[in-house]
Amino acid sequence: MAQYARRGIHGQTVEVLARRILAGEIAEGATLNLAALQQELDVSLTVLREALKVLTAKGMVDARQKRGTFVRPRSDWNLLDGDVIRWQFADGADPRLLDALHEVRSIIEPAAARLAATRAVAADLDSLDGALAEMSAAEGDPVAAVGADLTFHRALLAATHNELLVRMEVVMETGLAERDRLVHGVEQYDDPVPSHRAVVDAIRAGDSAGAEQAMRGLLDKAVRDVEKVRQQKGTR
């Protein structure tokens, strides 16, 4: 599902409601008082209803006759939606969500690297090399560093030539970007190029086992980087 475009009062209303639901401020099963929300948020009923349509599409709310609009159980929420992930990071990096992201990546990306080693074509290698060049050029620029890392991981998934794996970028992109902002936002961090280049070198050589191993090494380094930042900030 395409990510929701954040524009104007409509977008702000969606974000406010989503963040309250995700934070538990509006509990699962709670019925929404639309009149009270309309007054509190100072929006028209049309804007409020349009915002709720967005959240309905993401499985977070629903409406029934005699019951009204209510928050659905968390088990019904589309937690793999890019917006839902982003909203959970809205008030800062959630350690539990970062850990969950790593578990997802540790399942998907080593296997993707293994597959890419058998399927990558010249254009895929060019894309991966281009991402490495972006990383090198981004030294000292956190925003560019985040963009380069996202480019690399998109290119890796694309190199599998499996359209379902390629779609996994929607799942990982937002969480990965937030993780990168956390790590690259500190004054000192390890050079990411060598660990990423090791993956590319193995893919270029057609070494499936080597590509998988190199990706696992990259992910282990990612965990250490986050842990280092947590220790610096005194969080777990």
Side-chain angles (χ1 to χ4, degrees), residues 133-153:
E134 287 183 31
M135 285 185 191
S136 295
E139 183 177 359
D141 184 342
V143 174
V146 171
D149 194 39
L150 292 175
T151 297
F152 177 90
H153 291 281

Side-chain angles (χ1 to χ4, degrees), residues 8 22 80 102 175:
L22 287 163
L80 299 182
H102 173 70

Side-chain angles (χ1 to χ4, degrees), residues 184-199:
H184 294 297
V186 300
E187 292 185 1
Q188 295 182 341
Y189 60 89
D190 295 335
D191 182 0
V193 174
S195 58
H196 288 74
R197 180 176 288 121
V199 177

Side-chain angles (χ1 to χ4, degrees), residues 9-107:
I9 190 66
H10 175 50
Q12 294 172 21
T13 304
V14 172
E15 300 244 345
V16 168
L17 294 174
R19 290 167 64 176
R20 288 185 183 181
I21 293 171
L22 287 163
E25 295 174 20
I26 305 177
E28 298 173 50
T31 298
L32 303 181
N33 185 329
L34 301 192
L37 283 172
Q38 181 185 353
Q39 183 175 11
E40 177 193 352
L41 301 177
D42 192 24
V43 297
S44 68
L45 186 58
T46 298
V47 167
L48 184 58
R49 285 175 172 167
E50 288 300 315
L52 290 170
K53 284 182 182 179
V54 174
L55 300 184
T56 298
K58 297 179 186 298
M60 297 176 70
V61 302
D62 203 352
R64 293 285 187 274
Q65 286 187 352
K66 298 183 179 180
R67 181 175 179 181
T69 302
F70 61 95
V71 178
R72 296 176 65 178
R74 186 180 177 88
S75 58
D76 292 339
W77 302 351
N78 187 359
L79 296 175
L80 299 182
D81 180 272
D83 287 320
V84 177
I85 295 173
R86 175 174 58 79
W87 290 329
Q88 292 181 82
F89 277 114
D91 295 320
D94 183 335
R96 293 171 300 179
L97 194 53
L98 286 172
D99 291 343
L101 170 66
H102 173 70
E103 290 177 355
V104 171
R105 294 182 66 196
S106 68
I107 293 169

Side-chain angles (χ1 to χ4, degrees), residues 113 132 152 192-205 207 210-215 217-218:
L132 292 177
F152 177 90
V193 174
S195 58
H196 288 74
R197 180 176 288 121
V199 177
V200 177
D201 288 345
I203 292 173
R204 178 174 283 109
D207 181 359
E212 180 177 358
Q213 183 178 4
M215 179 54 70
L218 188 159

